[in-house]
Amino acid sequence: MFLTMALLRKGISGKQWIGKYRRPRAITWQMKRNMLVHLEREAENEYWVSRPYMTTEQERGHAAERRAQKWLKIKETKFQKFPEHKYVVDHLSHLNTTKTWSS
């Protein structure tokens, strides 16, 4: 049955570019060139990634001072945005209508 379908079938059933029995895409010279460029770029990236900029001793704690300064700046901006203190006396002073000078 499968051989009969393969021999008698005129084309690919359904969408020709997707599915189990899809039509294979032709490889062009542009595709080959782009793949070579991609592989060369990947090889160069791998070369640079494999050689560290700093040793592990240099890397440990090298940004501690900068991070502390950054944290202090963030903390200062939070305190600047913080509203002023409000007291209960300020909120309830309108209720003091019966208070007189003598009392």
Side-chain angles (χ1 to χ4, degrees):
M1 183 174 138
F2 185 77
L3 180 62
T4 308
M5 288 298 292
L7 293 174
L8 296 178
R9 187 167 47 189
K10 296 215 183 235
I12 294 157
S13 61
K15 300 233 178 212
Q16 65 176 337
W17 300 112
I18 61 172
K20 187 174 181 183
Y21 299 108
R22 65 177 167 243
R23 186 172 130 199
R25 243 176 115 187
I27 306 295
T28 63
W29 64 271
Q30 291 98 341
M31 291 174 157
K32 290 179 185 177
R33 182 198 59 205
N34 291 341
M35 181 55 71
L36 282 176
V37 168
H38 175 74
L39 289 174
E40 287 170 357
R41 185 183 318 124
E42 193 172 328
E44 185 180 357
N45 288 341
E46 191 173 331
Y47 170 80
W48 288 113
V49 167
S50 67
R51 285 152 180 78
Y53 180 72
M54 291 191 275
T55 63
T56 52
E57 292 82 21
Q58 291 173 329
E59 190 175 353
R60 186 171 293 117
H62 79 282
E65 185 178 340
R66 179 179 50 85
R67 289 179 70 227
Q69 293 293 330
K70 199 172 185 180
W71 170 246
L72 286 175
K73 189 184 289 185
I74 290 169
K75 209 158 96 172
E76 286 175 10
T77 57
K78 278 187 180 180
F79 278 122
Q80 287 175 352
K81 292 179 186 176
F82 198 79
E84 291 184 20
H85 294 295
K86 295 183 180 178
Y87 301 99
V88 175
V89 175
D90 299 335
H91 285 284
L92 301 178
S93 61
H94 68 283
L95 298 175
N96 282 336
T97 57
T98 58
K99 206 171 206 182
T100 61
W101 284 90
S102 60
S103 59

